[in-house]
Amino acid sequence: MIDGTVVYYQGSPGAFSEAAILSHWPNAMPQGFPTFAETFQALQDNPNAVGLLPIENAYRGPVYDVLDLLTASTLSIWAEAVQPVELALMAYGHSDLSRIKKVRSHPQALMQSQMFCREHGLIVEVALDTAGSAKELLESRREDVGAIASPRAAEIYGLNIVRRGIQDHPDNRTRFWLLSQRPIHLTSPLNRMKTSAVFDLPDKPGALVNYLLWYKKFGLNLSKVESRPRPGAPFAYRFWIDVVGDAQSLDQAWESGLSDLEWFRRFGTYPVLSE
Ligand SMILES: O=C(O)C(=O)C[C@]1(C(=O)O)C=C[C@@H](O)C=C1
């Protein structure tokens, strides 16, 4: 159960991560940390802690820092949840777009509203999180600077909305994982389970294709393959996979393919709560 418990996230009140927690568990108690590294440290220090972290945007792709921190941690994945991301441009004391020269936000949100920023000649500057940029704007009282965050962040920090829906794609959304060291058993309202793992392969022809053939053999659908730099081996890669399928055939595929791998870590088989 997550309702009624503290759930860690990266950012400030009004962040999309906080919205993702509250839209899935309205009675959870979100607790924000300034950076992804601090959120992971807190999850690692407290064996009972639970956190919800963004891992991928539907249009701008993976949140690499989170994938790398997760690989280095001992945390498991207990659920997947998707949150719609509507971005708004907000200002302090006015709502006149022509007075804004520079906008500040989380790098992911800046990437997700590139077209709007370019079209209006706005200088972009990176902030720790979307809602944090709104909070800092309130503190600075600058009228030539805007923040890009959720409409709820404008409400929380008393800023004026200049434009809503400035994300490049109307159906912008971000995928999150519920992470913890302790087991959390939830059920998928969509009756859909996934498994995620990461592995290193020997550097030889056909290594990746031969390994992935095990999944084909057992009728398993890979919903994602991602490569990341392999620590300590420049320009060698480590692969992340998300697999959809029933747990039993998944176990058979893992076991059959294990000897092809140099290193392997499974993060868990978890329910998809929303997509
Ligand atoms: O800054 C926030 O509001 C966050 O919750 C982080 C985050 C992310 O890291 O992807 C979450 C959802 C959006 O994609 C934009 C930013």
Side-chain angles (χ1 to χ4, degrees), residues 10 14-18 36 54 57 63 85 106 108-109 112 128-131 174 176:
Q10 184 268 329
F16 292 100
S17 304
E18 186 206 40
F36 288 136
N57 176 263
V63 183
V85 175
H106 186 280
Q108 270 285 341
Q112 293 162 27
L128 279 181
D129 71 301
T130 56
T174 296
F176 290 79

Side-chain angles (χ1 to χ4, degrees), residues 18-54:
E18 186 206 40
I21 297 170
L22 293 173
S23 67
H24 290 86
W25 303 284
N27 299 316
M29 291 176 281
Q31 184 181 333
F33 290 84
T35 61
F36 288 136
E38 285 159 283
T39 318
F40 270 89
Q41 192 60 54
L43 287 167
Q44 203 64 68
D45 290 346
N46 177 354
N48 284 317
V50 180
L52 194 74
L53 275 300

Side-chain angles (χ1 to χ4, degrees), residues 40 44 68-76 265 267:
F40 270 89
Q44 203 64 68
D68 293 345
L69 284 160
L70 179 55
T71 312
S73 77
T74 60
L75 300 168
S76 298
R265 180 164 167 217
F267 292 97

Side-chain angles (χ1 to χ4, degrees), residues 10-205:
Q10 184 268 329
S12 313
F16 292 100
S17 304
E18 186 206 40
I21 297 170
L22 293 173
S23 67
H24 290 86
W25 303 284
N27 299 316
M29 291 176 281
Q31 184 181 333
F33 290 84
T35 61
F36 288 136
E38 285 159 283
T39 318
F40 270 89
Q41 192 60 54
L43 287 167
Q44 203 64 68
D45 290 346
N46 177 354
N48 284 317
V50 180
L52 194 74
L53 275 300
I55 48 132
E56 184 182 16
N57 176 263
Y59 289 95
R60 292 294 164 196
V63 183
Y64 291 119
D65 289 346
V66 172
L67 296 186
D68 293 345
L69 284 160
L70 179 55
T71 312
S73 77
T74 60
L75 300 168
S76 298
I77 306 170
W78 298 102
E80 176 170 305
V82 171
Q83 179 66 21
V85 175
E86 186 207 351
L87 297 171
L89 172 64
M90 53 204 71
Y92 176 78
H94 68 92
S95 52
D96 181 358
L97 178 55
S98 67
R99 289 171 61 189
I100 299 174
K101 305 291 171 240
K102 183 168 89 176
V103 288
R104 301 187 73 244
S105 193
H106 186 280
Q108 270 285 341
L110 293 172
M111 282 198 288
Q112 293 162 27
S113 56
Q114 261 177 36
M115 293 197 295
F116 179 88
C117 296
R118 215 176 295 138
E119 188 187 330
H120 296 282
L122 299 166
I123 298 167
V124 298
E125 194 177 283
V126 166
L128 279 181
D129 71 301
T130 56
S133 71
K135 190 167 172 238
E136 283 156 14
L137 184 56
L138 169 67
E139 285 157 6
S140 76
R141 300 172 177 223
R142 294 260 313 248
E143 296 189 4
D144 59 335
V145 177
I148 296 178
S150 64
R152 203 171 80 87
E155 217 174 280
I156 295 174
Y157 301 106
L159 299 170
N160 298 323
I161 293 192
V162 179
R163 290 283 170 84
R164 272 185 84 133
I166 65 162
Q167 67 276 8
D168 295 346
H169 301 277
D171 59 345
N172 193 32
R173 53 200 342 99
T174 296
R175 203 153 72 94
F176 290 79
W177 278 338
L178 188 72
L179 305 175
S180 181
Q181 294 183 67
R182 71 166 163 98
I184 302 166
H185 299 292
L186 300 170
T187 48
S188 167
L190 308 166
N191 205 10
R192 191 168 153 83
M193 300 294 282
K194 274 191 191 172
T195 298
S196 296
V198 68
F199 55 84
D200 293 344
L201 286 162
D203 185 14
K204 61 177 194 199

